Amino acid sequence: MRSHAIAIAKAAGQILRDGLRNERQIQHKSASIDLVTNIDLASEKLIVSSIHEHFPEHRIVAEESGDDGRSAEYCWVIDPLDGTTNYAHGFPFFAVSIALLHNNQPTIGVVYDPWRDECFVGERGVGAWLNDQPLHVTSTNTVDAALLSTGFPYTIRSNPDNNIAEFTKIVLKAQAIRRGGAAALDICYVAAGRSEGHWELGLKPWDTAAAAVILTEAGGKLSTWTGAEWNPWIDRLVATNGAVHAELVGLLQA
């Protein structure tokens, strides 16, 4: 199943790469800043069709087509294009994200960045890799020395609970903060030692399930904003190298 997830993520990634060469058809979903393109839909169609063909008894939860509602031991959680706004503008920070949950526990995660041909893979209890090379988080142990990343919800214009206050506080504490616009890649960058932590709210399971496996297998840590146990159905996430986790959670609580 891990090999299949990698294969379909790369096939979907090729659709994303090819789509950048053509004019993209853009539609709005819940808000004027919540987009979907014809490429999202084509990528998802390929992934879902392949899973149906090879694992017809499995449940599928996908960003664009939703939850098929099937009762099954295994559940695939799919984001066919994480970073749609970036993609719509031709900004090269986006990915395909595919997770496999076993009894609701994230077990396999694949996040594929087709622009850089970087394939992040994790399997619970086995390890995490980037293009077959083992992944490890950094040992940086203070927020002051940490590079962090974050994101903002689609309701940023209408809901005051929008991460602006938290960002304003933490940007004065961290060495620097980046806002990549693709949560799956942001979390994988923590796993790869390219940053020390990521926090965000308004997340969906397809944004985080795959990257969560990769991060934890690389030695990182996940929780809610309060430090409680996290699962993909919780929309507030703190993902770190572990060494800065308590400090970052403390800043969010404050």
Side-chain angles (χ1 to χ4, degrees):
M1 286 187 281
R2 186 179 82 195
S3 297
H4 189 74
I6 292 169
I8 55 177
K10 289 186 174 181
Q14 188 60 51
I15 290 176
L16 304 190
R17 275 192 69 91
D18 292 345
L20 282 177
R21 303 189 184 102
N22 304 309
E23 184 175 354
R24 294 169 288 285
Q25 301 169 18
I26 301 169
Q27 301 176 38
H28 301 279
K29 296 198 290 186
S30 63
S32 62
I33 58 175
D34 186 5
L35 309 179
V36 62
T37 73
N38 58 315
I39 308 301
D40 295 67
L41 301 176
S43 173
E44 183 167 300
K45 182 178 179 181
L46 179 146
I47 297 167
V48 170
S49 296
S50 182
I51 293 171
H52 278 318
E53 178 183 353
H54 290 87
F55 309 103
E57 73 281 9
H58 290 188
R59 176 185 173 195
I60 297 176
V61 177
E63 179 175 13
E64 306 308 333
S65 55
D67 187 343
D68 66 13
R70 185 171 297 171
S71 178
E73 181 180 359
Y74 289 98
C75 175
W76 296 85
V77 182
I78 301 160
D79 193 338
L81 173 48
D82 185 47
T84 298
T85 300
N86 290 345
Y87 187 84
H89 289 271
F91 187 84
F93 194 76
F94 54 84
V96 179
S97 178
I98 300 175
L100 178 65
L101 278 57
H102 182 225
N103 294 327
N104 212 36
Q105 175 72 41
T107 302
I108 293 171
V110 176
V111 176
Y112 179 57
D113 175 351
W115 188 258
R116 297 169 183 81
D117 191 26
E118 290 191 332
C119 190
F120 300 86
V121 180
E123 183 173 353
R124 183 161 57 98
V126 179
W129 309 270
L130 169 55
N131 293 349
D132 299 323
Q133 296 301 309
L135 289 177
H136 303 285
V137 297
T138 71
S139 59
T140 300
N141 60 8
T142 65
V143 168
D144 180 68
L147 177 63
L148 305 177
S149 59
T150 192
F152 300 92
Y154 289 123
T155 56
I156 186 171
R157 297 178 178 178
S158 59
N159 187 343
D161 183 16
N162 55 18
N163 196 32
I164 291 176
E166 291 82 0
F167 175 84
T168 302
K169 181 180 183 67
I170 296 171
V171 75
L172 298 176
K173 301 288 186 178
Q175 190 168 88
I177 295 178
R178 302 290 179 256
R179 193 271 196 256
L185 279 180
D186 287 326
I187 298 166
C188 285
Y189 275 31
V190 180
R194 297 173 180 176
S195 63
E196 277 68 47
H198 178 80
W199 85 91
E200 196 167 342
L201 75 162
L203 294 164
K204 302 295 185 182
W206 46 80
D207 297 317
T208 56
V213 181
I214 297 163
L215 175 68
T216 53
E217 288 300 315
K221 184 174 181 177
L222 299 164
S223 78
T224 68
W225 282 22
T226 64
E229 184 177 353
W230 175 89
N231 69 66
W233 313 102
I234 295 174
D235 74 340
R236 293 176 187 245
L237 169 73
V238 182
T240 74
N241 65 352
V244 301
H245 201 90
E247 186 181 0
L248 182 53
V249 168
L251 289 169
L252 287 167
Q253 288 182 299

